[in-house]
C-alpha cells in the first residue's frame, strides 16, 4: 500500500463533509476522495440489507480509486454495514462512527441526554449495545428526525422549514430536562448554528467528527501509512452533480468540481 494513496470517505449524501472537514484539519497531508451517495439518500429509512449493498458498491469503487483506508462518515451506514465492510476488505483500515453516548453521559449535569439520529441508527443493535455499555445511570431520550437530512442535502441550513422542523424535534427533549444533545447523524453538525438559536445556551451539543479523525490518524500511524502531500479533494456523487457543486461552497467552504458515479 502506498503512503500517497488517497483515503476514501463516504456518506449517504453530503453529511459526511462534516467529518471530512475534521479529517482535513487533522491530516492536512492526506489525499482525500469523498463520495456522496445522494442518489440513494436518505439511508435512515432504508433496510440494513439495502444499506450494506450500497456500501459494498461504494467501497469497491473507492478501492478502484486506490484508497488506502475507508471512512464510513455516516452513523446509519456504520450501524448496518461496518462489520460487513471490514470482512470484505481485511487489508484496509475501515473507520466507522457512532453517536457520542460516552462523552454525553460524562457531560450531562441533569442526567438527561437527548440523541438526534436517524431511525436506522436508533433501531440498530449497535446503538442498543452502546447504550448498555455507556449510558448506565443516565436517562437517554432518542429522537428520530425524518425529513431533516433532505433539507440539509438541499443546503437549507437556515430556512423556515428547517427551523420549524428542528424546533418541533427538540422541544420534547428540552421539556424532559435534556441538557446534552448528541448529534448522531453526520448531516446535523451543519445545522448546529441554527440549533444553538433554538436551545438554551447551557445545552451542550456533541458530535463525533473530530474523534473519527483522531482514530483515522492513529490507525494510519500504526500501519506506517501517513500521507506526505496534500492534493485537492476529489468529489463524487451518485445524485445530482449540479446540486452538490452548488452546496459545496456552503458545506465545504470552497467550490470544487464534482464527478458522477453511476454505481
Ligand atoms: N448522515 C447519515 C448518518 O450519519 C445518515 C443520513 C441519512 O441518509 O438518513 O447517519
Amino acid at each position: 500500500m502506498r503512503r500517497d494513496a488517497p483515503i476514501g470517505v463516504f456518506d449517504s449524501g453530503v453529511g459526511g463533509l462534516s467529518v471530512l472537514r475534521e479529517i482535513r484539519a487533522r491530516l492536512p497531508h492526506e489525499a482525500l476522495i469523498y463520495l456522496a451517495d445522494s442518489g440513494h439518500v436518505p439511508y435512515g429509512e432504508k433496510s440494513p440489507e439495502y444499506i450494506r449493498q450500497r456500501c459494498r458498491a461504494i467501497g469497491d469503487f473507492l478501492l478502484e480509486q486506490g484508497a488506502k483506508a475507508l471512512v464510513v462518515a455516516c452513523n446509519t451506514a456504520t450501524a448496518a454495514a461496518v462489520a460487513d465492510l471490514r470482512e470484505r476488505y481485511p487489508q484496509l483500515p475501515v473507520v466507522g462512527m457512532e453517536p457520542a453516548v460516552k462523552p454525553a453521559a460524562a457531560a450531562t449535569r441533569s442526567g438527561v441526554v437527548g440523541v438526534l439520529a436517524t431511525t436506522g441508527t436508533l433501531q440498530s443493535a449497535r446503538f442498543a449495545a452502546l447504550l448498555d455499555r455507556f449510558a448506565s445511570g443516565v436517562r437517554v431520550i432518542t429522537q428520530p428526525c425524518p425529513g431533516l437530512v433532505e433539507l440539509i442535502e438541499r443546503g437549507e441550513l437556515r430556512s423556515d422549514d428547517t427551523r420549524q422542523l428542528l424546533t418541533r424535534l427538540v422541544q420534547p427533549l428540552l421539556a424532559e430536562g435534556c441538557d446534552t444533545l448528541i448529534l448522531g447523524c453526520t448531516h446535523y453538525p451543519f445545522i448546529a448554528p441554527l440549533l444553538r438559536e433554538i436551545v438554551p445556551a447551557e445545552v451542550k451539543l456533541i458530535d463525533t467528527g473530530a474523534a473519527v479523525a483522531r482514530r483515522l490518524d492513529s490507525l494510519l500511524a500504526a500501519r506506517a501509512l501517513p500521507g506526505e502531500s496534500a492534493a485537492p479533494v476529489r468529489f463524487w456523487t451518485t445524485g445530482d452533480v449540479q446540486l452538490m457543486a452548488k452546496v459545496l461552497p456552503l458545506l465545504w467552504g470552497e467550490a470544487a468540481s464534482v464527478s458522477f458515479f453511476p454505481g
Side-chain angles (χ1 to χ4, degrees):
M1 192 63 73
R2 295 168 52 124
R3 289 180 62 173
D4 60 359
I7 295 163
V9 181
F10 74 94
D11 175 42
S12 62
V14 292
L17 293 169
S18 69
V19 179
L20 195 73
R21 70 186 175 191
E22 299 289 349
I23 294 172
R24 166 105 302 174
R26 186 167 181 109
L27 300 166
H29 300 303
E30 296 293 345
L32 303 170
I33 310 176
Y34 183 87
L35 187 133
D37 197 16
S38 297
H40 303 89
V41 73
Y43 280 1
E45 314 296 318
K46 307 262 187 347
S47 73
E49 186 46 37
Y50 180 92
I51 297 168
R52 278 192 286 279
Q53 280 176 19
R54 291 306 312 146
C55 290
R56 285 177 208 143
I58 294 165
D60 288 359
F61 171 74
L62 292 171
L63 256 72
E64 278 162 27
Q65 304 303 306
K68 66 179 177 184
L70 290 183
V71 177
V72 186
C74 176
N75 296 265
T76 315
T78 297
V82 77
D84 185 67
L85 291 175
R86 287 188 177 129
E87 212 172 289
R88 192 173 176 87
Y89 313 118
Q91 74 282 21
L92 283 199
V94 178
V95 182
M97 59 192 300
E98 293 173 327
V101 172
K102 189 180 176 191
T108 180
R109 295 287 158 266
S110 68
V112 188
V113 168
V115 188
L116 303 173
T118 67
T119 308
T121 296
L122 296 174
Q123 286 179 349
S124 69
R126 281 183 81 98
F127 183 68
L130 200 59
L131 292 186
D132 277 350
R133 232 172 125 201
F134 296 119
S136 57
V138 172
R139 191 169 154 228
V140 176
I141 308 177
T142 57
Q143 177 63 279
C145 306
L148 191 52
V149 159
E150 290 89 327
L151 288 163
I152 297 165
E153 284 284 312
R154 293 201 293 271
E156 289 194 37
L157 307 186
R158 303 197 73 88
S159 71
D160 289 346
D161 286 351
T162 307
R163 183 183 291 271
Q164 274 165 24
L165 176 60
L166 208 46
T167 305
R168 189 162 58 70
L169 292 168
V170 297
Q171 253 161 8
L173 304 179
L174 299 175
E176 292 292 328
C178 279
D179 69 348
T180 306
L181 284 177
I182 298 174
L183 306 183
C185 166
T186 53
H187 283 73
Y188 304 164
F190 291 116
I191 43 89
L194 178 60
L195 193 54
R196 276 261 67 102
E197 291 171 19
I198 295 170
V199 304
E202 63 274 15
V203 172
K204 292 178 245 1
L205 306 181
I206 299 195
D207 86 83
T208 331
V212 171
R214 281 198 300 278
R215 175 83 187 131
L216 176 64
D217 190 358
S218 72
L219 285 177
L220 293 176
R223 295 181 186 221
L225 277 176
E228 291 161 321
S229 62
V233 181
R234 284 185 285 148
F235 293 99
W236 296 81
T237 183
T238 59
D240 182 338
V241 169
Q242 268 149 24
L243 176 61
M244 183 155 177
K246 193 175 124 207
V247 298
L248 266 181
L250 194 63
L251 305 180
W252 176 243
E254 55 192 72
S257 66
V258 179
S259 307
F260 182 63
F261 168 54

